[in-house]
Amino acid sequence: MSPFDAAALGVGPVLQSTPFAQVIAAAIMEDNDDVIVSDRGGYLRVLAPRVCLLSRATVEAATGSPVRFPGELEVIMSSFAGRMRLTEHGAVWWLAGESAPDPPGPPANDAVR
């Protein structure tokens, strides 16, 4: 039994099954609680309850190299559940009909001084 009703409350990306998609799924699991990742062979369905955050900094820490947002995520994202906002610092998906949450911000070392 899942920790939330994924069909009603789950939001997040559907990713083509690639090594980079595995990194993205792991980063989403690190950035959120109660994430469900379903490996469907050719794709990964990643769902979090109500809001799903993905920080570019988390992905870069996992890969050890720079990642371009927007750009690299969209290449492997076939679809998504909910609504989505993508910035240079990350992505956020949220439940349709609810207020848009703030997307991930710049890492602390990128902060304006």
Side-chain angles (χ1 to χ4, degrees):
M1 189 158 149
S2 65
F4 65 96
D5 182 357
L9 301 176
V11 296
V14 175
L15 307 168
Q16 297 171 21
S17 191
T18 66
F20 186 58
Q22 295 287 343
V23 171
I24 296 294
I28 290 173
M29 291 177 71
E30 186 173 330
D31 287 345
N32 300 271
D33 295 326
D34 300 322
V35 175
I36 297 171
V37 178
S38 300
D39 186 341
R40 306 290 175 96
Y43 65 95
L44 301 175
R45 180 175 298 278
V46 183
L47 294 171
R50 306 185 94 78
V51 173
C52 179
L53 297 171
L54 174 63
S55 166
R56 187 189 79 207
T58 304
V59 177
E60 289 178 342
T63 63
S65 61
V67 177
R68 191 178 70 245
F69 275 24
E72 294 182 53
L73 175 63
E74 303 92 311
V75 172
I76 62 162
M77 185 174 62
S78 304
S79 184
F80 59 89
R83 301 198 61 192
M84 179 190 180
R85 179 176 296 149
L86 181 63
T87 71
E88 66 185 88
H89 300 292
V92 61
W93 297 263
W94 69 94
L95 202 57
E98 294 191 2
S99 298
D102 291 330
N109 60 355
D110 284 355
V112 176
R113 294 181 194 140

